[in-house]
Short mmCIF file of all heavy atoms in Angstrom, two decimals:
data_model
loop_
_atom_site.label_atom_id
_atom_site.label_comp_id
_atom_site.label_asym_id
_atom_site.label_seq_id
_atom_site.Cartn_x
_atom_site.Cartn_y
_atom_site.Cartn_z
N THR A 162 -25.00 3.11 45.66
CA THR A 162 -25.10 1.72 45.25
C THR A 162 -24.31 1.54 43.97
O THR A 162 -24.82 1.80 42.87
CB THR A 162 -26.59 1.33 45.00
OG1 THR A 162 -27.33 1.60 46.18
CG2 THR A 162 -26.69 -0.16 44.68
N PRO A 163 -23.04 1.14 44.10
CA PRO A 163 -22.20 1.08 42.89
C PRO A 163 -22.60 -0.06 41.98
O PRO A 163 -22.86 -1.18 42.41
CB PRO A 163 -20.79 0.85 43.46
CG PRO A 163 -21.04 0.12 44.75
CD PRO A 163 -22.33 0.69 45.31
N THR A 164 -22.68 0.23 40.72
CA THR A 164 -22.80 -0.82 39.69
C THR A 164 -21.67 -0.59 38.70
O THR A 164 -21.02 0.47 38.70
CB THR A 164 -24.16 -0.78 38.97
OG1 THR A 164 -24.29 0.50 38.34
CG2 THR A 164 -25.30 -1.02 39.94
N ALA A 165 -21.41 -1.59 37.90
CA ALA A 165 -20.28 -1.49 36.97
C ALA A 165 -20.63 -2.17 35.67
O ALA A 165 -21.68 -2.80 35.52
CB ALA A 165 -19.05 -2.15 37.60
N SER A 166 -19.71 -2.04 34.74
CA SER A 166 -19.81 -2.77 33.48
C SER A 166 -18.44 -3.24 33.09
O SER A 166 -17.43 -2.66 33.49
CB SER A 166 -20.42 -1.91 32.38
OG SER A 166 -19.60 -0.77 32.13
N THR A 167 -18.37 -4.31 32.32
CA THR A 167 -17.09 -4.79 31.81
C THR A 167 -16.72 -4.01 30.56
O THR A 167 -17.51 -3.18 30.08
CB THR A 167 -17.16 -6.29 31.49
OG1 THR A 167 -18.11 -6.49 30.44
CG2 THR A 167 -17.58 -7.10 32.70
N SER A 168 -15.52 -4.25 30.06
CA SER A 168 -15.05 -3.49 28.89
C SER A 168 -15.88 -3.78 27.64
O SER A 168 -15.92 -2.99 26.71
CB SER A 168 -13.58 -3.82 28.61
OG SER A 168 -13.39 -5.21 28.46
N ASP A 169 -16.62 -4.93 27.65
CA ASP A 169 -17.50 -5.21 26.51
C ASP A 169 -18.95 -4.84 26.80
O ASP A 169 -19.88 -5.36 26.20
CB ASP A 169 -17.38 -6.68 26.09
CG ASP A 169 -17.82 -7.64 27.19
OD1 ASP A 169 -18.16 -7.16 28.30
OD2 ASP A 169 -17.79 -8.88 26.96
N GLN A 170 -19.14 -3.97 27.83
CA GLN A 170 -20.44 -3.40 28.17
C GLN A 170 -21.41 -4.39 28.80
O GLN A 170 -22.63 -4.15 28.82
CB GLN A 170 -21.10 -2.77 26.93
CG GLN A 170 -20.25 -1.69 26.27
CD GLN A 170 -19.89 -0.58 27.24
OE1 GLN A 170 -20.75 -0.02 27.92
NE2 GLN A 170 -18.60 -0.26 27.34
N THR A 171 -20.91 -5.46 29.40
CA THR A 171 -21.79 -6.37 30.16
C THR A 171 -22.03 -5.78 31.54
O THR A 171 -21.10 -5.38 32.25
CB THR A 171 -21.12 -7.76 30.30
OG1 THR A 171 -20.89 -8.30 29.02
CG2 THR A 171 -22.02 -8.69 31.13
N HIS A 172 -23.30 -5.70 31.92
CA HIS A 172 -23.64 -5.09 33.21
C HIS A 172 -23.26 -6.01 34.36
O HIS A 172 -23.44 -7.22 34.31
CB HIS A 172 -25.15 -4.80 33.26
CG HIS A 172 -25.60 -4.25 34.58
ND1 HIS A 172 -25.36 -2.96 35.00
CD2 HIS A 172 -26.29 -4.87 35.61
CE1 HIS A 172 -25.88 -2.79 36.20
NE2 HIS A 172 -26.43 -3.91 36.59
N VAL A 173 -22.73 -5.44 35.44
CA VAL A 173 -22.38 -6.16 36.64
C VAL A 173 -23.18 -5.53 37.79
O VAL A 173 -23.16 -4.32 37.99
CB VAL A 173 -20.88 -6.08 36.96
CG1 VAL A 173 -20.55 -6.82 38.25
CG2 VAL A 173 -20.07 -6.65 35.80
N GLY A 174 -23.92 -6.37 38.53
CA GLY A 174 -24.81 -5.88 39.58
C GLY A 174 -24.08 -5.26 40.77
O GLY A 174 -22.88 -5.41 40.95
N ALA A 175 -24.87 -4.60 41.61
CA ALA A 175 -24.31 -3.86 42.74
C ALA A 175 -23.60 -4.76 43.74
O ALA A 175 -22.54 -4.42 44.26
CB ALA A 175 -25.41 -3.06 43.45
N VAL A 176 -24.18 -5.95 44.03
CA VAL A 176 -23.58 -6.83 45.02
C VAL A 176 -22.22 -7.32 44.57
O VAL A 176 -21.23 -7.29 45.33
CB VAL A 176 -24.52 -8.03 45.32
CG1 VAL A 176 -23.79 -9.07 46.15
CG2 VAL A 176 -25.76 -7.56 46.04
N THR A 177 -22.13 -7.75 43.31
CA THR A 177 -20.83 -8.22 42.79
C THR A 177 -19.83 -7.11 42.74
O THR A 177 -18.66 -7.27 43.10
CB THR A 177 -21.02 -8.83 41.39
OG1 THR A 177 -21.92 -9.95 41.49
CG2 THR A 177 -19.70 -9.31 40.81
N THR A 178 -20.23 -5.93 42.29
CA THR A 178 -19.33 -4.77 42.24
C THR A 178 -18.83 -4.43 43.63
O THR A 178 -17.62 -4.21 43.85
CB THR A 178 -20.05 -3.55 41.63
OG1 THR A 178 -20.50 -3.88 40.33
CG2 THR A 178 -19.11 -2.36 41.56
N GLU A 179 -19.74 -4.36 44.60
CA GLU A 179 -19.36 -4.00 45.97
C GLU A 179 -18.37 -5.03 46.55
O GLU A 179 -17.42 -4.67 47.23
CB GLU A 179 -20.62 -3.96 46.84
CG GLU A 179 -20.41 -3.48 48.26
CD GLU A 179 -21.74 -3.44 49.02
OE1 GLU A 179 -22.27 -4.52 49.37
OE2 GLU A 179 -22.23 -2.32 49.24
N THR A 180 -18.59 -6.30 46.26
CA THR A 180 -17.70 -7.36 46.76
C THR A 180 -16.31 -7.23 46.17
O THR A 180 -15.30 -7.29 46.87
CB THR A 180 -18.27 -8.75 46.46
OG1 THR A 180 -19.59 -8.84 47.00
CG2 THR A 180 -17.41 -9.84 47.06
N LEU A 181 -16.23 -7.02 44.84
CA LEU A 181 -14.92 -6.91 44.18
C LEU A 181 -14.17 -5.65 44.64
O LEU A 181 -12.94 -5.65 44.68
CB LEU A 181 -15.12 -6.89 42.68
CG LEU A 181 -15.61 -8.23 42.05
CD1 LEU A 181 -15.92 -8.01 40.58
CD2 LEU A 181 -14.58 -9.31 42.24
N LEU A 182 -14.87 -4.59 45.00
CA LEU A 182 -14.22 -3.37 45.43
C LEU A 182 -13.51 -3.54 46.77
O LEU A 182 -12.69 -2.71 47.13
CB LEU A 182 -15.24 -2.22 45.52
CG LEU A 182 -15.70 -1.60 44.19
CD1 LEU A 182 -16.82 -0.60 44.45
CD2 LEU A 182 -14.55 -0.92 43.48
N CYS A 183 -13.83 -4.59 47.52
CA CYS A 183 -13.19 -4.80 48.82
C CYS A 183 -11.69 -4.99 48.68
O CYS A 183 -10.92 -4.61 49.55
CB CYS A 183 -13.79 -6.03 49.51
SG CYS A 183 -15.13 -5.65 50.63
N ASP A 184 -11.25 -5.66 47.62
CA ASP A 184 -9.84 -6.05 47.51
C ASP A 184 -9.47 -6.03 46.03
O ASP A 184 -9.59 -7.02 45.35
CB ASP A 184 -9.67 -7.44 48.10
CG ASP A 184 -8.22 -7.82 48.31
OD1 ASP A 184 -7.35 -6.97 48.03
OD2 ASP A 184 -7.95 -8.95 48.74
N CYS A 185 -8.98 -4.88 45.57
CA CYS A 185 -8.76 -4.74 44.14
C CYS A 185 -7.70 -3.65 43.90
O CYS A 185 -7.19 -3.04 44.81
CB CYS A 185 -10.07 -4.38 43.44
SG CYS A 185 -10.73 -2.79 43.98
N VAL A 186 -7.39 -3.44 42.63
CA VAL A 186 -6.55 -2.33 42.23
C VAL A 186 -7.43 -1.31 41.54
O VAL A 186 -8.18 -1.63 40.61
CB VAL A 186 -5.45 -2.83 41.27
CG1 VAL A 186 -4.62 -1.63 40.78
CG2 VAL A 186 -4.54 -3.82 41.98
N ILE A 187 -7.38 -0.06 42.01
CA ILE A 187 -8.20 1.01 41.46
C ILE A 187 -7.35 1.89 40.53
O ILE A 187 -6.26 2.33 40.91
CB ILE A 187 -8.77 1.89 42.58
CG1 ILE A 187 -9.58 1.07 43.58
CG2 ILE A 187 -9.62 3.02 41.98
CD1 ILE A 187 -10.82 0.45 42.98
N HIS A 188 -7.81 2.10 39.32
CA HIS A 188 -7.17 3.04 38.40
C HIS A 188 -8.11 4.21 38.21
O HIS A 188 -9.29 4.03 37.86
CB HIS A 188 -6.92 2.37 37.04
CG HIS A 188 -5.90 1.30 37.08
ND1 HIS A 188 -4.55 1.54 36.86
CD2 HIS A 188 -6.01 -0.04 37.28
CE1 HIS A 188 -3.89 0.40 36.94
NE2 HIS A 188 -4.75 -0.55 37.21
N ARG A 189 -7.59 5.41 38.45
CA ARG A 189 -8.39 6.62 38.23
C ARG A 189 -8.27 6.99 36.75
O ARG A 189 -7.19 7.08 36.20
CB ARG A 189 -7.87 7.76 39.11
CG ARG A 189 -8.55 9.11 38.83
CD ARG A 189 -8.08 10.14 39.87
NE ARG A 189 -6.64 10.28 39.89
CZ ARG A 189 -5.95 11.08 39.07
NH1 ARG A 189 -6.60 11.81 38.16
NH2 ARG A 189 -4.64 11.18 39.15
N VAL A 190 -9.42 7.23 36.12
CA VAL A 190 -9.45 7.64 34.72
C VAL A 190 -10.28 8.90 34.61
O VAL A 190 -11.44 8.93 35.00
CB VAL A 190 -10.05 6.53 33.83
CG1 VAL A 190 -10.13 7.00 32.38
CG2 VAL A 190 -9.22 5.26 33.94
N LEU A 191 -9.67 9.96 34.11
CA LEU A 191 -10.40 11.22 33.89
C LEU A 191 -10.84 11.31 32.44
O LEU A 191 -10.04 11.07 31.53
CB LEU A 191 -9.50 12.42 34.23
CG LEU A 191 -8.99 12.49 35.68
CD1 LEU A 191 -8.17 13.77 35.87
CD2 LEU A 191 -10.13 12.43 36.68
N ARG A 192 -12.10 11.66 32.22
CA ARG A 192 -12.63 11.72 30.88
C ARG A 192 -13.23 13.09 30.59
O ARG A 192 -13.72 13.76 31.49
CB ARG A 192 -13.76 10.68 30.68
CG ARG A 192 -13.31 9.22 30.77
CD ARG A 192 -14.49 8.30 30.63
NE ARG A 192 -14.12 6.89 30.72
CZ ARG A 192 -13.79 6.14 29.68
NH1 ARG A 192 -13.77 6.66 28.48
NH2 ARG A 192 -13.45 4.87 29.86
N ALA A 193 -13.20 13.46 29.36
CA ALA A 193 -13.94 14.61 28.87
C ALA A 193 -14.79 14.08 27.72
O ALA A 193 -14.29 13.89 26.61
CB ALA A 193 -13.00 15.72 28.42
N GLY A 194 -16.05 13.78 28.00
CA GLY A 194 -16.87 13.10 27.00
C GLY A 194 -16.30 11.70 26.82
O GLY A 194 -16.14 10.94 27.76
N ASN A 195 -15.98 11.36 25.57
CA ASN A 195 -15.42 10.05 25.26
C ASN A 195 -13.90 10.07 25.23
O ASN A 195 -13.27 9.06 24.92
CB ASN A 195 -15.95 9.55 23.91
CG ASN A 195 -17.43 9.23 23.99
OD1 ASN A 195 -17.93 8.78 25.00
ND2 ASN A 195 -18.12 9.50 22.89
N THR A 196 -13.28 11.22 25.55
CA THR A 196 -11.82 11.34 25.49
C THR A 196 -11.23 11.11 26.87
O THR A 196 -11.64 11.75 27.86
CB THR A 196 -11.40 12.74 24.99
OG1 THR A 196 -11.99 12.96 23.71
CG2 THR A 196 -9.92 12.86 24.90
N ILE A 197 -10.24 10.22 26.98
CA ILE A 197 -9.55 9.97 28.24
C ILE A 197 -8.45 11.02 28.39
O ILE A 197 -7.56 11.13 27.55
CB ILE A 197 -8.97 8.53 28.28
CG1 ILE A 197 -10.10 7.50 28.19
CG2 ILE A 197 -8.15 8.32 29.53
CD1 ILE A 197 -9.63 6.06 28.13
N LEU A 198 -8.49 11.75 29.51
CA LEU A 198 -7.50 12.80 29.75
C LEU A 198 -6.36 12.32 30.65
O LEU A 198 -5.23 12.76 30.50
CB LEU A 198 -8.17 14.01 30.44
CG LEU A 198 -9.30 14.67 29.68
CD1 LEU A 198 -9.86 15.84 30.50
CD2 LEU A 198 -8.82 15.17 28.32
N ASN A 199 -6.65 11.42 31.58
CA ASN A 199 -5.63 11.02 32.57
C ASN A 199 -5.99 9.68 33.15
O ASN A 199 -7.12 9.45 33.59
CB ASN A 199 -5.57 12.08 33.68
CG ASN A 199 -4.35 11.94 34.54
OD1 ASN A 199 -3.94 10.82 34.87
ND2 ASN A 199 -3.76 13.06 34.92
N TYR A 200 -5.02 8.74 33.15
CA TYR A 200 -5.25 7.44 33.76
C TYR A 200 -4.89 7.44 35.25
O TYR A 200 -5.16 6.45 35.93
CB TYR A 200 -4.42 6.39 33.04
CG TYR A 200 -5.03 5.93 31.76
CD1 TYR A 200 -4.62 6.46 30.56
CD2 TYR A 200 -6.03 4.97 31.73
CE1 TYR A 200 -5.17 6.05 29.36
CE2 TYR A 200 -6.58 4.54 30.55
CZ TYR A 200 -6.16 5.09 29.35
OH TYR A 200 -6.73 4.68 28.17
N GLY A 201 -4.27 8.48 35.74
CA GLY A 201 -3.95 8.55 37.16
C GLY A 201 -2.96 7.48 37.58
O GLY A 201 -2.14 7.03 36.78
N ARG A 202 -3.02 7.05 38.84
CA ARG A 202 -2.07 6.10 39.39
C ARG A 202 -2.84 4.97 40.09
O ARG A 202 -3.81 5.22 40.79
CB ARG A 202 -1.11 6.80 40.38
CG ARG A 202 -0.05 5.89 40.98
CD ARG A 202 0.92 6.69 41.79
NE ARG A 202 0.28 7.27 42.97
CZ ARG A 202 0.15 6.62 44.14
NH1 ARG A 202 0.62 5.42 44.27
NH2 ARG A 202 -0.44 7.20 45.17
N ALA A 203 -2.41 3.74 39.93
CA ALA A 203 -3.07 2.61 40.58
C ALA A 203 -2.86 2.68 42.08
O ALA A 203 -1.77 2.96 42.56
CB ALA A 203 -2.49 1.29 40.04
N THR A 204 -3.93 2.45 42.83
CA THR A 204 -3.81 2.39 44.28
C THR A 204 -4.38 1.04 44.72
O THR A 204 -5.48 0.66 44.33
CB THR A 204 -4.62 3.53 44.96
OG1 THR A 204 -5.99 3.44 44.54
CG2 THR A 204 -4.06 4.89 44.58
#
């Protein structure tokens, strides 16, 4: 049950997250704690 948050930490519910995931651009981000290691490639 995916949930999400915006960049300002506002919670987004599962239904809205699931709907937006149908047609979007996905960026992979690899983290080690709070450090971003890799932004990957948009798909």
Side-chain angles (χ1 to χ4, degrees):
T162 304
T164 60
S166 61
T167 63
S168 56
D169 62 358
Q170 302 304 310
T171 300
H172 176 75
V173 179
V176 170
T177 299
T178 302
E179 185 179 74
T180 304
L181 292 173
L182 284 174
C183 266
D184 192 3
C185 63
V186 176
I187 303 295
H188 292 270
R189 174 173 56 86
V190 178
L191 300 183
R192 295 177 180 270
N195 293 325
T196 303
I197 297 176
L198 301 179
N199 193 320
Y200 281 97
R202 183 173 65 87
T204 57

